[in-house]
Amino acid sequence: MELPAFIPSISGYSPAYFPAKLKPHLPGKLFGAPARMLPATVNASIAARNVRLRENFAFTVSAGLGGKGDRETGLELQNGNGRWVHFVGIGGCGLSALAKLALKRGFQVSGSDIARSSFMDGLCQEGAHLCIGHSASNIQRDNGLIYPDSVVVSSAIPLDNSEVLHAKSVGVPVYKRDYWLGKLTENHNLIAVSGSHGKSTTASMLAYVLKAMGDDITALIGAHVPQFPEGNIIAGNGQNFVLEADEYDGCFLGVSPYIAVVTNLDWEHVDQFPDEDAVETTFRRFLKQIKTGGHLILFGDRISCKYNTVQVRVLCLAVGKELSDQINQEFYEGLPVADISLQIPGVYNVLNSMAVIATIEALFGDQIRIIDLVNRAKSHLRNFAGVSRRFEKVGSVCGCDIYDDYAHHPTEIRAVLQAARAVFPFKTLTVVFQPHTYSRLAALIDNFATALRGADRVVVTAVYAAREKDVWGVSGRDLASRLSGIESEYVPFLDNVVDKLVQEISEDPHREILVFTLGAGDITTLGPKLLSRLKSVKHAKFELLKMREPIPEC
């Protein structure tokens, strides 16, 4: 099947106004431009890594212990009944959500990861047994007499992980996340929100609105949502299930959605996909998973070929040229149906809200008129406060506003900086950017440089390696050197960046400055440290002033 080109829609932030028409289209090609290949050396390195990844994730489902037989066919996840499931890589956003839902459904939950994360705090409070570090002892009790009923493994975990090897050696079934998600959602009306950018915000916005409208949904989100009591899940009992469907490692290929939302396509996970064609191929496989009679909702208005099936209803969201962040005027079949305001900035969030409206129409359009559906949804859209680390305010002090965003791809950076300029048109914009993974920086370094020129000043830190080693010979210094035309520098360590910014900002406390920390790694810790240090400096100066010029008593 042929599908249309997509326009960017990012996890992020905005109110908006533009004429946007929701109407069926005959889709064309997923990517508008030809794929840009990596340099041969980089491309070969990534291809080699892809082979290793495929080998590393060739997990098999083992027969159970104690006469339980093949547990693949009998895997039942709606009611845990006290069964024990162990999650390897539980600190990540994806597996932590699965673990939390398992707890809600009556499973005993344990898990491990190489380092503690914020996602693990709630799990501990709910009763999960968590271990820092991987060891065979993490998956056994009573000196090896009791083992988990199942082990679920993150995409970031290699095949030679000690817990995975031990589980398989004693016959405990090991499941990848895609298979577990498939079994978890198979009896629901699954709404799978996919795309290279914008999944977290769109999925959480949709889940929030549906829940507020009274739908008893279940939702799994790959980020913390402050308005969700459980953080990154909603544990409901109804038929509708909202899932942030991740393309990494082909994870979304394990599910069969009733509604699939595709926000956009981009060359994002360069360690998984050697070029844009590979991304497109994987998404085409995902779209074939849509159930007969289901719905496909996507963005794009450059149509070239027909969608050759009558089994799925296709809704292509075509966007007009006049975009802003004040009012989102929704249209249906060419007619305006509502003016919808958002409290989160960024034109991309206007697009995300369009996907929410279209999905609600697909779910309930045969029961309620579209204008009534929109009117019911609009107030809830206005009340949606966003997702953590998406244009998130850290604080203000000394004329300095500090914000944090997860943006770690050039498309995301460009969108966030445009939103920042719209919200703070008169402030000097300083960006502290931490590149995430060597492979992404090597493949997209020129694109990063172009996107970051949207700031007045950029500080580039050392690369956050995540799961990688530097076989590409690239560093943050290389990126900083490409940022011609703006003030830029390479400061590898986060603490040194804090020291530098504290000194500069405190020397001129009346300067109007906006600091944005960008990246998917531990760069998120920099903003709170900077805010705390600036407040301490301000307090110290105030105390010094009081000593020199005593304040009269009232």
Side-chain angles (χ1 to χ4, degrees):
M1 65 181 123
E2 295 296 329
L3 300 168
F6 293 106
I7 58 178
S9 165
I10 315 299
S11 307
Y13 198 96
S14 134
Y17 168 83
F18 64 90
K21 297 183 178 181
L22 278 67
K23 59 183 181 179
H25 274 302
L26 297 177
K29 185 173 170 57
L30 285 172
F31 280 102
R36 183 180 70 82
M37 297 297 293
L38 285 172
T41 54
V42 177
N43 208 19
S45 299
I46 291 179
R49 174 158 177 77
N50 285 341
V51 172
R52 291 197 298 274
L53 284 166
R54 283 193 291 272
E55 292 172 349
N56 286 351
F57 290 110
F59 291 120
T60 57
V61 180
S62 308
L65 289 176
K68 294 182 181 179
D70 187 351
R71 287 187 262 187
E72 177 180 9
T73 57
L75 186 62
E76 199 281 312
L77 301 183
Q78 306 311 309
N79 192 328
N81 289 320
R83 286 174 292 155
W84 176 18
V85 57
H86 181 81
F87 294 88
V88 185
I90 199 169
C93 55
L95 240 61
S96 65
L98 288 179
K100 192 171 292 185
L101 187 59
L103 283 166
K104 294 294 182 183
R105 293 189 170 177
F107 286 87
Q108 297 181 58
V109 169
S110 65
S112 61
D113 216 318
I114 56 173
R116 192 168 190 86
S117 76
S118 60
F119 289 107
M120 298 169 75
D121 296 337
L123 290 170
C124 286
Q125 295 169 8
E126 294 283 345
H129 177 73
L130 304 181
C131 302
I132 303 301
H134 298 300
S135 168
S137 63
N138 293 341
I139 64 163
Q140 60 187 39
R141 298 174 181 166
D142 294 348
N143 295 319
L145 295 177
I146 301 176
Y147 288 90
D149 294 278
S150 304
V151 170
V152 183
V153 184
S154 163
S155 297
I157 300 300
L159 181 63
D160 61 358
N161 176 272
S162 58
E163 295 173 19
V164 172
L165 291 176
H166 189 53
K168 294 176 73 173
S169 72
V170 296
V172 175
V174 177
Y175 301 105
K176 284 188 61 180
R177 185 164 58 110
D178 59 346
Y179 183 83
W180 192 264
L181 281 170
K183 299 299 289 186
L184 184 65
T185 60
E186 63 182 355
N187 295 320
H188 291 80
N189 292 327
L190 177 62
I191 304 132
V193 181
S194 66
S196 299
H197 316 293
K199 294 184 294 292
S200 296
T201 299
T202 305
S204 56
M205 184 187 292
L206 173 62
Y208 174 82
V209 171
L210 288 174
K211 181 69 174 176
M213 291 174 65
D215 193 12
D216 190 16
I217 64 161
T218 298
L220 290 176
I221 310 297
H224 178 77
V225 186
Q227 289 170 299
F228 290 1
E230 302 295 338
N232 55 351
I233 73 164
I234 297 175
N237 296 304
Q239 277 298 106
N240 292 328
F241 194 124
V242 176
L243 172 68
E244 179 182 340
D246 187 6
E247 75 274 19
Y248 188 82
D249 193 36
C251 184
F252 62 3
L253 300 179
V255 300
S256 297
Y258 170 61
I259 299 175
V261 179
V262 183
T263 58
N264 48 64
L265 289 190
D266 205 345
W267 190 26
E268 154 62 319
H269 298 295
V270 302
D271 59 333
Q272 288 278 306
F273 306 108
D275 53 40
E276 292 178 345
D277 286 339
V279 179
E280 181 174 331
T281 298
T282 300
F283 271 84
R284 290 185 184 282
R285 290 177 61 195
F286 168 63
L287 298 185
K288 291 179 181 178
Q289 300 286 103
I290 302 173
K291 293 179 178 178
T292 300
H295 303 260
L296 169 60
I297 296 166
L298 42 78
F299 289 94
D301 53 9
R302 290 173 294 183
I303 311 304
S304 60
C305 299
K306 292 184 177 181
Y307 183 83
N308 297 317
T309 180
V310 296
Q311 296 180 321
V312 175
R313 180 191 177 213
V314 181
L315 184 63
C316 183
L317 305 179
V319 181
K321 295 181 179 179
E322 296 180 13
L323 300 177
S324 77
D325 58 0
Q326 299 304 314
I327 300 172
N328 171 11
Q329 188 172 15
E330 297 285 359
F331 284 68
Y332 182 70
E333 295 183 350
L335 300 175
V337 294
D339 288 338
I340 298 175
S341 297
L342 304 175
Q343 65 170 288
I344 52 175
V347 168
Y348 41 87
N349 279 315
V350 174
L351 308 180
N352 295 338
S353 73
M354 288 176 61
V356 170
I357 292 292
T359 303
I360 292 173
E361 189 276 332
L363 278 172
F364 306 115
D366 59 343
Q367 307 166 36
I368 308 173
R369 292 188 311 158
I370 179 65
I371 193 166
D372 294 328
L373 280 174
V374 173
N375 284 335
R376 289 176 61 180
K378 60 188 294 186
S379 63
H380 305 307
L381 281 168
R382 187 182 302 115
N383 292 332
F384 179 66
V387 179
S388 294
R389 298 221 59 215
R390 273 65 172 181
F391 213 109
E392 182 176 18
K393 185 171 184 177
V394 177
S396 299
V397 63
C398 299
C400 173
D401 291 311
I402 304 170
Y403 280 77
D404 181 45
D405 198 279
Y406 191 69
H408 57 283
H409 184 277
T411 302
E412 298 167 349
I413 292 171
R414 187 180 305 111
V416 169
L417 296 189
Q418 287 173 353
R421 291 293 195 189
V423 176
F424 300 99
F426 304 112
K427 282 183 173 279
T428 301
L429 177 53
T430 293
V431 167
V432 183
F433 175 59
Q434 181 186 59
H436 186 267
T437 72
Y438 295 103
S439 59
R440 186 181 285 111
L441 180 59
L444 303 174
I445 190 166
D446 291 332
N447 304 72
F448 277 119
T450 300
L452 287 166
R453 289 191 188 102
D456 297 302
R457 179 194 181 195
V458 177
V459 178
V460 183
T461 75
V463 176
Y464 187 85
R467 54 195 171 269
E468 294 183 345
K469 295 181 179 179
D470 183 15
V471 298
W472 291 271
V474 67
S475 73
R477 186 187 301 276
D478 299 316
L479 174 58
S481 68
R482 280 171 163 79
L483 292 171
S484 58
I486 63 170
E487 184 181 349
S488 63
E489 60 185 312
Y490 174 63
V491 182
F493 302 111
L494 299 186
D495 287 344
N496 292 346
V497 176
V498 172
D499 293 340
K500 188 175 188 63
L501 291 178
V502 167
Q503 180 178 353
E504 294 174 357
I505 295 170
S506 59
E507 286 177 353
D508 186 5
H510 302 295
R511 180 185 178 192
E512 291 294 312
I513 185 171
L514 174 64
V515 175
F516 252 92
T517 56
L518 302 180
D522 60 358
I523 184 69
T524 189
T525 64
L526 190 148
K529 291 179 180 178
L530 176 60
L531 180 66
S532 177
R533 289 275 303 279
L534 286 173
K535 285 183 175 179
S536 297
V537 170
K538 180 181 179 181
H539 178 73
K541 286 185 175 181
F542 179 74
E543 291 298 320
L544 182 61
L545 182 62
K546 283 171 58 179
M547 292 174 61
R548 292 177 177 175
E549 300 179 15
I551 299 175
E553 295 183 3
C554 296

